[in-house]
Amino acid sequence: RASKLFDELHVVISLNINKKSSFTVEERIEMVKLCVKDLPNIKVTSYSDLIVKYCKENDVKVIVRGLRNYQDYETEFSLYQFNKDINPDVETILLCPSTKNQVVSSSAIKELVKFNASIKKYVPAEIEDLIIHKLK
């Protein structure tokens, strides 16, 4: 959805120090690339510092973030304040989820895979098998 709002969209894979990811940065980049392969205005990359620094280095003026619920809003609001303090030239846009994505989380997907339940409704078809194979 965000790719329709901008001439060029950077999808930046970054480290979340509060999470233990099941996938390497390289694996995550490849999965995103598979999911957006038909969207020519998307650049997929990684960055190991603050996203607002990436924005400054790459002349990006807007950060697009997704929300699932009120807890996400609280987190994103705090993040917005820090980002604005660090780089006041960068704006943040929050996109609300589609109904089917409101309950999706990495923890939920991991649990579904662990108990052999289908994740087809919750993940892109392009990466469903990769996720199942990695998490089993």
Side-chain angles (χ1 to χ4, degrees):
R1 289 173 33 216
S3 72
K4 296 175 186 174
L5 302 174
F6 302 95
D7 293 334
E8 182 178 69
L9 182 72
H10 296 229
V11 176
V12 182
I13 308 298
S14 63
L15 175 66
N16 182 338
I17 61 171
N18 297 314
K19 279 188 170 182
K20 182 183 179 301
S21 180
S22 298
F23 297 91
T24 67
V25 169
E26 294 78 16
E27 289 171 324
R28 291 162 57 201
I29 288 172
E30 289 308 311
M31 288 192 297
V32 172
K33 285 181 177 180
L34 284 171
C35 294
V36 301
K37 65 182 178 290
D38 296 329
L39 301 169
N41 66 328
I42 295 183
K43 173 184 178 180
V44 183
T45 189
S46 64
Y47 193 69
S48 59
D49 206 330
L50 297 173
I51 293 301
V52 289
K53 290 183 181 179
Y54 175 90
C55 292
K56 185 172 186 164
E57 291 173 15
N58 292 276
D59 197 31
V60 171
K61 300 295 183 202
V62 179
I63 296 172
V64 179
R65 304 276 300 177
L67 296 177
R68 291 171 298 177
N69 51 44
Y70 291 109
Q71 292 83 7
D72 282 356
Y73 177 80
E74 290 177 5
T75 300
E76 294 299 334
F77 188 76
S78 295
L79 187 57
Y80 162 79
Q81 295 295 333
F82 286 117
N83 287 342
K84 203 65 168 162
D85 286 344
I86 295 167
N87 188 343
D89 296 329
V90 175
E91 287 299 333
T92 299
I93 293 176
L94 302 175
L95 289 180
C96 295
S98 61
T99 304
K100 78 173 196 165
N101 289 326
Q102 288 177 342
V103 297
V104 177
S105 68
S106 59
S107 301
I109 297 301
K110 288 174 187 175
E111 187 169 349
L112 290 172
V113 169
K114 179 179 177 169
F115 292 105
N116 297 312
S118 175
I119 59 172
K120 185 178 295 297
K121 290 173 29 179
Y122 308 111
V123 300
E126 296 86 354
I127 61 171
E128 179 184 3
D129 290 339
L130 291 169
I131 292 171
I132 292 169
H133 178 73
K134 179 76 173 199
L135 296 179
K136 281 212 169 195

